[in-house]
């Protein structure tokens, strides 16, 4: 497999509790692919479908920001939530 190394230097200017966090890159394209993959596995044409997506807004970059609603099958219509 592929291995990467992350290195950085941080200079403490105050004696405060400091946290560091890192996550592998997860792009907007990755997100869209994951959402599409979910919808391919679910029949959203039936009335009791338990996942819905609707555009909530646009990001500053002009990308769609979708609101995903996931419920149990047979729950209240997510469009009414």
């Amino acid at each position: 497999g592929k291995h990467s190394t992350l290195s950085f230097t941080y200079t403490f200017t105050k004696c405060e509790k400091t946290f560091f966090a890192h996550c592998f890159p997860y792009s907007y394209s990755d997100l869209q692919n994951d959402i599409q993959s979910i919808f391919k596995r679910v029949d959203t044409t039936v009335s009791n479908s338990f996942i819905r997506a609707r555009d909530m807004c646009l990001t500053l970059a002009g990308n769609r920001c979708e609101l995903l609603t996931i419920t149990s099958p047979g729950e209240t219509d997510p469009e009414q939530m």
Side-chain angles (χ1 to χ4, degrees):
K2 252 183 172 177
H3 297 281
S4 300
T5 302
L6 171 67
S7 300
F8 63 93
T9 302
Y10 182 82
T11 303
F12 293 90
T13 57
K14 296 181 181 178
C15 186
E16 295 180 341
K17 190 181 283 189
T18 304
F19 299 91
F20 297 95
H22 172 59
C23 180
F24 60 90
Y26 186 73
S27 69
Y28 179 77
S29 296
D30 292 334
L31 172 64
Q32 292 302 306
N33 289 335
D34 288 345
I35 291 172
Q36 290 306 314
S37 175
I38 292 168
F39 276 96
K40 286 180 183 175
R41 288 184 266 148
V42 175
D43 184 2
T44 57
T45 60
V46 295
S47 62
N48 66 346
S49 176
F50 59 94
I51 182 169
R52 306 274 168 126
R54 66 176 176 188
D55 289 343
M56 187 169 57
C57 61
L58 294 177
T59 67
L60 293 176
N63 296 324
R64 289 186 349 251
C65 181
E66 295 177 294
L67 172 64
L68 295 180
T69 304
I70 302 171
T71 64
S72 297
E75 292 287 324
T76 304
D77 183 3
E79 291 296 316
Q80 297 174 1
M81 290 185 197

